[in-house]
Amino acid sequence: MEFEQLYKSYWEKVFRLCMGYVNDYNIAQDIAQETFIIIWEKLHTFRNEANIGSWIFRIASNNCLRQIEKGKRFPKSELPAHITEEKEYSLEPQIQFLYKCIAELPETDRIIISLELEDVKQAEIAKIVGLSEANIRVKIHRIKEKLTLKFKENGQ
C-alpha cells in the first residue's frame, strides 16, 4: 500500500487515538504527524505479517506513550498571565468531555478504548496491547462502565 493511501485512510483514526491520550488538539495533531513521519520512514520494513492497521496503531500508541513520558520529564511551563491560549477548533461538548475522560484513564485503558472506538477488532487490540482477547473484552466492558458513570455524574 502506498503511503498516501495509508495517510488518507488512517489520519483521522490516528488523530483520535492521540486525542484519547493527550486530550489536547494541538499536541494530538503534532503526535499524529510525528507518527506518520515514522510510518513513512519504516514503511519499507513492513513485512505484511500483520494487519497494516495494527502496525500503524502500534506505532501511534508507542509514539503517544513516548510523548507522555517526555511530558513527565519536562514539566509544562505556565503561560504568562497576559497571554491567553486560543483554541482553533470546536468539538461538541460531549466529545470534548469523552476525550477528557479517556485522557484520565490509565495508559493501557486509553489505548484499548481508543482502538475500540475506532472499530478495531478485539483480536487486533489484544495483539497491539499484548493481552489476551478475553482480557480485552473484560477491560472494554469495565472501561465503558467507568465512562458511562462519568457521563452520568456530569449530567451528560
Side-chain angles (χ1 to χ4, degrees), residues 50-51 53-55 115 120-129 133:
N51 179 310
S54 298
W55 182 72
L115 291 170
V120 175
K121 292 183 169 94
Q122 291 180 356
E124 292 296 317
I125 296 172
K127 288 178 189 173
I128 292 168
V129 178
E133 199 172 338

Side-chain angles (χ1 to χ4, degrees), residues 5 18 20 34 54 87 96 109 139:
Q5 289 176 300
C18 296
E34 289 171 13
S54 298
K87 300 281 183 185
Q96 285 180 322
D109 291 355
K139 284 188 164 289

